[in-house]
Amino acid sequence: MDQTQIVLELNTKLISIIEDYKKGISDIHPFDIAKDLQDLRDIEINEYKNICKKIPSDLFAQILVNMPTYIQEEITNIISEKKVAKVTSSMDSDDASMLIYNISQKDEDAAQTVLSKLNDEDKQIIEELNAYEEEQAGAFMQKELFSVNINETIDTALKRLKKEKDLNILHDIFHAFLTDDENNYLGSIGLEELILFERTQTFKELPKDIIEHYSFNDKEEIDEVVSMFTNYNLNALAIINSDNKLLGRVTHDDVRNLMQEQDTKQLYSLAGVSDKAEEEESIFKIGKNRAFWLSINLITAILASIVIGLFDATIQSLVALAVLMPIVASMGGNAGTQTLTVTVRQMALGSIEYDDAKKTIIKEVIISLVNGLLFAFVIGVIAYFWFNIPLLGIVIAISMIINLVSAGFFGAVIPLVLEKLDIDPAIGSTVILTTVTDIVGFFSFLGLATIILL
Amino acid sequence: MDQTQIVLELNTKLISIIEDYKKGISDIHPFDIAKDLQDLRDIEINEYKNICKKIPSDLFAQILVNMPTYIQEEITNIISEKKVAKVTSSMDSDDASMLIYNISQKDEDAAQTVLSKLNDEDKQIIEELNAYEEEQAGAFMQKELFSVNINETIDTALKRLKKEKDLNILHDIFHAFLTDDENNYLGSIGLEELILFERTQTFKELPKDIIEHYSFNDKEEIDEVVSMFTNYNLNALAIINSDNKLLGRVTHDDVRNLMQEQDTKQLYSLAGVSDKAEEEESIFKIGKNRAFWLSINLITAILASIVIGLFDATIQSLVALAVLMPIVASMGGNAGTQTLTVTVRQMALGSIEYDDAKKTIIKEVIISLVNGLLFAFVIGVIAYFWFNIPLLGIVIAISMIINLVSAGFFGAVIPLVLEKLDIDPAIGSTVILTTVTDIVGFFSFLGLATIILL
């Protein structure tokens, strides 16, 4: 099937979805429409614009939130600011504020133009959310929630819920958030409890033990919300301010995104990459950040070279040493990375705490000692047969044991110490570790060779 | 505060929690009790046993499911099989089957003894779940759910829900799962919809557009459930068999666990560690698995050494080469790991697909070319001043460019090709990459030195 035909078919499919949607009979999830629209990106820009124009704003809002950020940005770039404003006002407040925030990062003027086209309420909410620091819980909350007054009847509240659901203001409702007349947060009641009571009752009359009291302060770090959801098995959480006023809520989908972001950050940090920098559109900015970690690696590599340089006379008299020396360093780096990765991850998952430090270090040293003995034997035999110098086999074997044991030890100690110092144990630990394993590897191998062989 | 005092205080605290729980007035989440109990693990074993004996089985069940697996196992080891059976029958079916499965992995007889002490229904359910393959969705499902017959009234169904909630059979209910008289799955209705209708209505009479039709086959791989939850923003999903019979459900907390497991696997794979093996209690088994990847690394390190060996005469005549050569290899390895990690992660998150291969590779090659030029200049100048040989600076600069560009190229290509071949791009890719960067690094540096310097 050629390009034009694919475009044509997708186009027709989209148009029929849009028609169904307008009639209210579409059963396709916006995520799937978003995928189709992403596949269309290669077509001629004007044709693409035309399709975008045809999609009603409320559907477009749902489609956009199901797209990766960089495609969101591509699309908001090609549709009019008026349409972006319409789409934004159809979104949940957390998605809307994120969209405006992303636009403002690229083009502050465009963001202001869109904001100016919103009604006052929408504008105010977006400005409220975007006033938070990037890592504060308030920046992630959704203002739309089902709040109920403790004095009203269930029936009154449910009628309001029905109205707001029909208007597409509320969805994904799991709790009624209880407040008093001053909007003080009093706790939440799960719908699975609420549904069991007579509608004529007021919330005040309901038994106290069905009320949950979890909440989270808007100014605190969002990362802790993730542990609350995981530990207490939540699916939504009230966000309150320091005066206990109910401000919004965070839901399970936000938490899934946050978990993925945390894991991406951890993985990237261990590899010497910044998750924030990688999101930049400019290759230059991405490269610049990577160059930072490469610079640090260059320094440590030069340190290792200086160590080698100490033994230049030894190498001169036996070139086999130059041939074999990277093996010891490489095995140490690998074994250390294994230990480091497991330790960092288990600390992040809460399975290792600083109190378990001794146990963890002993375990890792034993593992690396056993593997050290194994690989010492293997490489010792290989070196012996390769260069026919028995003592060379012994030298490389001993240095392999030394380097693997120190790799296991430092692989566990480095993240534990960083954590103790309140430094993210994933950031920078790899480079510290490989500095150790390179230097110990080269020094022990060449040092032993100088003593034993010469 | 000394050890005995801490134990005493925790002990007293636990006893008062248990009393509150029995009276039904405890507002402490089992997760927090689990944490306290974990902290007690250092105390004398008999004292620990005594505390465990005092905790009622239904509370104990909730505490255990909030503990890491290895502590669960420690505890089930020290309490009687009769108590384990009681605790198991208080658990949700997915947790119960997991507990029995974990016990059976260590001690098949103990698992059978526990099973034999369960009532027939519990036993049958656990055996049903444990009959699934480890990766099948059925192995993760919870049999407890709120299923309703399409012909009954909402009121009848809710009365049943209330009864089962009071008996602690059901909790975390988000949907009514619709079935016909033959238990065929007909779709689900969110409680946020259901709560809006008159209780006298039957489910048949409700509007069709509030029914969701997501479901998942019990024999399919659980990993896809994670994408369904993420893509369609679900919080629970019906599990059906190939005959469309409703079997159970998977909930958002399962999905959070699965996401964490997937990310752990990815991180570990990139570091040459197996997530399954690391869960083993035996240090020997953990070490054996790590030794496997270290063996492969040893082979590739020897390959790199063979490359160095090709140039032994060159090194003999200029030892500075031995001193500098690890720098080129190390920088290549690091730059390649940056690219590889980003590519693997973005592929896993769905931001890069095979169709984007060309774009990704070009981006990575440009980044590595720019950084290659930068570090070529830096290391060229350093090498020149260090050894006072201008041509040596030129040699290391050129080989730095060659190795960084190939690192960027292969860092992107390796995972893309593995994915195309249906191989997990995280597994083994690091070792392939460092083989390339080591060999290209040593060969280009020593090869150029042979041509230019000698």
Side-chain angles (χ1 to χ4, degrees), chain A residues 25-37:
Chain A
I25 57 169
S26 168
D27 59 353
I28 295 183
H29 193 281
F31 172 82
D32 294 318
I33 310 178
K35 279 226 108 174
D36 284 343
L37 207 58

Side-chain angles (χ1 to χ4, degrees), chain B residues 140-159:
Chain B
F140 293 82
M141 72 184 172
Q142 191 175 44
K143 299 292 289 181
E144 296 82 8
L145 49 75
F146 179 37
S147 85
V148 301
N149 188 299
I150 188 107
N151 295 311
E152 68 183 334
T153 63
I154 297 179
D155 192 56
T156 319
L158 289 182
K159 279 186 179 139

Side-chain angles (χ1 to χ4, degrees), chain B residues 64-102:
Chain B
L64 274 187
V65 299
N66 278 291
M67 283 177 163
T69 315
Y70 73 101
I71 298 184
Q72 261 187 27
E73 283 163 9
E74 276 180 30
I75 290 180
T76 49
N77 266 335
I78 61 165
I79 61 178
S80 72
E81 277 144 356
K82 199 176 143 199
K83 178 105 179 186
V84 176
K86 268 191 180 172
V87 166
T88 308
S89 63
S90 300
M91 282 181 176
D92 288 337
S93 48
D94 51 347
D95 296 321
S97 68
M98 200 57 84
L99 186 74
I100 300 291
Y101 176 80
N102 287 335

Side-chain angles (χ1 to χ4, degrees), chain A residues 165 174 195 199 235 263, chain B residues 174 192 195 199 235 263 316:
Chain A
K165 275 179 68 70
F174 315 112
I195 201 170
R199 290 196 182 193
N235 55 12
D263 284 351
Chain B
F174 314 111
E192 66 175 293
I195 201 169
R199 290 196 183 192
N235 55 10
D263 285 351
Q316 182 97 53

Side-chain angles (χ1 to χ4, degrees), chain A residues 94-195:
Chain A
D94 51 346
D95 295 323
S97 67
M98 199 58 84
L99 185 76
I100 300 293
Y101 176 80
N102 288 335
I103 293 175
S104 75
Q105 290 296 298
K106 293 278 147 64
D107 183 350
E108 183 58 44
D109 289 343
Q112 287 303 328
T113 316
V114 174
L115 270 178
S116 70
K117 291 182 196 299
L118 293 176
N119 69 39
D120 284 351
E121 199 197 333
D122 287 344
K123 192 179 161 189
Q124 205 184 325
I125 288 177
I126 288 172
E127 285 173 343
E128 177 194 341
L129 296 191
N130 284 342
Y132 285 100
E133 306 283 328
E134 214 173 322
E135 294 305 318
Q136 287 179 330
F140 293 83
M141 72 185 173
Q142 190 175 45
K143 300 291 289 179
E144 296 82 8
L145 48 76
F146 177 38
S147 85
V148 301
N149 188 299
I150 189 105
N151 296 312
E152 69 182 333
T153 63
I154 298 178
D155 192 57
T156 319
L158 289 182
K159 278 185 178 138
R160 194 171 61 248
L161 176 63
K162 179 155 177 41
K163 216 169 93 190
E164 296 193 337
K165 275 179 68 70
D166 287 346
L167 290 170
N168 252 327
I169 299 172
L170 290 186
H171 55 93
D172 293 325
I173 297 302
F174 315 112
H175 301 96
F177 292 106
L178 291 178
T179 57
D180 62 15
D181 294 337
E182 275 82 42
N183 194 33
N184 288 305
Y185 176 62
L186 304 175
S188 65
I189 299 179
L191 292 193
E192 66 174 296
E193 303 290 345
L194 194 58
I195 201 170

Side-chain angles (χ1 to χ4, degrees), chain B residues 136-348:
Chain B
Q136 286 179 331
F140 293 82
M141 72 184 172
Q142 191 175 44
K143 299 292 289 181
E144 296 82 8
L145 49 75
F146 179 37
S147 85
V148 301
N149 188 299
I150 188 107
N151 295 311
E152 68 183 334
T153 63
I154 297 179
D155 192 56
T156 319
L158 289 182
K159 279 186 179 139
R160 194 171 59 248
L161 176 63
K162 177 151 177 44
K163 215 170 94 189
E164 297 192 337
K165 274 180 68 69
D166 287 345
L167 290 171
N168 252 327
I169 299 173
L170 289 187
H171 55 92
D172 293 326
I173 298 303
F174 314 111
H175 300 97
F177 292 106
L178 291 177
T179 58
D180 61 16
D181 295 336
E182 275 83 42
N183 193 34
N184 287 306
Y185 177 63
L186 303 175
S188 64
I189 300 178
L191 293 193
E192 66 175 293
E193 302 292 344
L194 194 58
I195 201 169
L196 304 174
F197 290 92
E198 286 297 327
R199 290 196 183 192
T200 49
Q201 284 185 286
T202 65
F203 289 95
K204 212 183 222 161
E205 291 161 3
L206 298 180
K208 294 286 161 288
D209 65 346
I210 65 167
I211 301 178
E212 287 176 14
H213 290 280
Y214 300 112
S215 65
F216 199 82
N217 195 286
D218 62 334
K219 297 279 171 60
E220 281 185 65
E221 282 213 13
I222 188 73
D223 279 359
E224 287 179 34
V225 167
V226 176
S227 10
M228 272 191 83
F229 269 69
T230 315
N231 297 344
Y232 301 136
N233 194 9
L234 308 178
N235 55 10
L237 181 61
I239 304 292
I240 58 172
N241 68 11
S242 50
D243 293 332
N244 194 37
K245 305 292 180 200
L246 179 62
L247 300 181
R249 62 171 186 154
V250 171
T251 52
H252 60 101
D253 54 322
D254 301 319
V255 169
R256 280 199 291 265
N257 287 338
L258 285 164
M259 282 176 64
Q260 271 187 335
E261 280 172 24
Q262 287 177 356
D263 285 351
T264 301
K265 188 180 169 189
Q266 189 177 54
L267 182 67
Y268 280 15
S269 301
L270 284 170
V273 189
S274 146
D275 56 329
K276 293 281 168 228
E278 292 294 324
E279 280 169 17
E280 297 279 353
E281 210 159 324
S282 137
I283 289 188
F284 178 73
K285 283 186 186 160
I286 298 175
K288 199 175 132 188
N289 181 277
R290 294 201 199 163
F292 169 74
W293 285 106
L294 289 177
S295 305
I296 295 181
N297 182 62
L298 181 63
I299 295 169
T300 74
I302 291 173
L303 284 178
S305 288
I306 292 173
V307 171
I308 299 172
L310 298 176
F311 301 98
D312 53 356
T314 312
I315 294 171
Q316 182 97 53
S317 62
L318 186 60
V319 173
L321 296 175
V323 174
L324 292 176
M325 68 183 183
I327 295 177
V328 181
S330 162
M331 291 294 283
N334 269 267
T337 303
Q338 290 180 330
T339 300
L340 180 75
T341 304
V342 172
T343 309
V344 167
R345 183 64 178 168
Q346 293 304 319
M347 281 165 64

